[in-house]
Amino acid sequence: MGPPGAGKGTQARLISRRLGIPQISTGDILRQSVQDGTALGRKAHRYMERGELVPDEIVVRIVKERLEREDCRNGFILDGFPRNMPQAEALSRELQKTSRDIDWSINISVPDEEIMKRLSGRRVCLQCGETYNMYFSPPPRDELCGKCSTPLMQREDDKEETIRKRLQVYHEGTEPLIDYYTLNGKLITVDGSGAAEEISERIDKALKDSFG
Ligand code: AP5
């Protein structure tokens, strides 16, 4: 969990590689549907380009189907889901059906001013999924992916006005989940400022301190 640009995707990728469990990013799945031009993608695009949440029934169905896949049997990391109370409750109901539950919720805390810089500087490789930031972690040459040399793209929702809207949606709809997971005894909060590797170490340490 965390505001847009907190580093959820970056940290989820690191945890996924370390633990060998899939990263399930609702944002990535939705963007892929938009790129593929599917009916779902066309519907989702209207909300995403405005920085609003895609309707719960669409996102919950996507996550439900994804969690049923074989590679989730030994665990998974959700990135960008749940994003409001109805989604959190739907997730809990879905997992209960297979006697599973969320183990931890990791909240990455970053001030709004820092978010603006991170998101306006972000560039992504649509080929291999690698993420860069023109201010903090630029690609090795020009705007080309350092891994596969594909030209990098800027997300259309990384425009300043849309970033502000996404922050507003986060504060109003998603932030209340901090209390929800705190009451469930599942929340750890880490300071999301500093280098990605430092934050990764903080997450590791917080998980070990809190849960052994
Ligand atoms: P989504 O893709 O989930 O976007 P988001 O939450 O706005 O988060 P971001 O992906 O922008 O940021 P992040 O926290 O993952 O940070 P990242 O690691 O990329 O959702 C997009 C849209 O899809 C939503 O607006 C909505 O419309 C829809 N959607 C998705 N899920 C939904 C749901 N559950 N319900 C309804 N609608 C949904 O890093 C950001 C940048 O910062 C990068 O450039 C990165 O390189 C850089 N960076 C990362 N860490 C650091 C660091 N420590 N220091 C400096 N820079 C850093």
Side-chain angles (χ1 to χ4, degrees):
M1 286 178 58
K8 301 184 294 294
T10 303
Q11 296 303 324
R13 253 187 307 281
L14 291 172
I15 294 172
S16 163
R17 281 177 204 156
R18 201 163 55 237
L19 299 185
I21 55 173
Q23 168 197 4
I24 301 174
S25 158
T26 42
D28 285 351
I29 296 171
L30 289 167
R31 272 185 294 280
Q32 187 63 53
S33 306
V34 173
Q35 210 190 326
D36 295 345
T38 63
L40 186 152
R42 284 194 297 279
K43 190 163 185 197
H45 186 238
R46 281 187 263 141
Y47 299 92
M48 295 171 79
E49 68 179 346
R50 294 197 296 254
E52 293 169 3
L53 291 186
V54 172
D56 292 341
E57 66 271 17
I58 295 181
V59 186
V60 167
R61 195 175 70 234
I62 288 174
V63 173
K64 178 178 176 310
E65 286 171 8
R66 183 63 187 83
L67 290 178
E68 282 165 3
R69 283 179 31 194
E70 184 66 22
D71 64 345
C72 291
R73 279 183 63 171
N74 293 325
F76 49 85
I77 174 151
L78 291 165
D79 161 14
F81 182 93
R83 247 171 156 106
N84 55 26
M85 278 306 293
Q87 292 184 12
E89 284 163 359
L91 174 65
S92 176
R93 277 195 304 275
E94 231 15 81
L95 292 175
Q96 271 169 22
K97 285 181 195 166
T98 48
S99 307
R100 293 186 289 180
D101 201 356
I102 288 294
D103 296 308
W104 314 298
S105 178
I106 302 165
N107 176 40
I108 305 175
S109 164
V110 178
D112 286 5
E113 315 82 70
E114 168 85 7
I115 297 293
M116 290 305 294
K117 207 166 178 185
R118 286 192 185 182
L119 293 186
S120 57
R122 171 165 53 189
R123 299 292 181 275
V124 289
C125 175
L126 295 182
Q127 185 66 34
C128 72
E130 198 62 21
T131 305
Y132 300 88
N133 190 285
M134 301 314 286
Y135 300 106
F136 308 115
S137 54
R141 81 189 157 94
D142 303 327
E143 291 213 11
L144 295 176
C145 179
K147 282 196 169 162
C148 65
S149 300
T150 304
L152 300 173
M153 302 290 293
Q154 180 168 34
R155 269 171 48 173
E156 64 171 354
D157 59 352
D158 280 347
K159 285 176 275 175
E160 200 174 314
E161 195 187 317
T162 318
I163 298 171
R164 288 193 202 290
K165 175 67 186 173
R166 287 160 64 198
L167 278 167
Q168 183 198 343
V169 167
Y170 168 76
H171 289 303
E172 288 172 9
T174 310
E175 224 165 26
L177 289 183
I178 291 175
D179 286 343
Y180 174 77
Y181 284 113
T182 302
L183 284 173
N184 286 351
K186 301 209 161 159
L187 191 89
I188 62 159
T189 293
V190 293
D191 174 4
S193 52
E197 295 71 25
E198 281 173 53
I199 297 156
S200 171
E201 282 168 20
R202 273 178 220 149
I203 291 175
D204 254 7
K205 184 172 182 316
L207 286 175
K208 281 177 192 147
D209 288 350
S210 306
F211 303 102

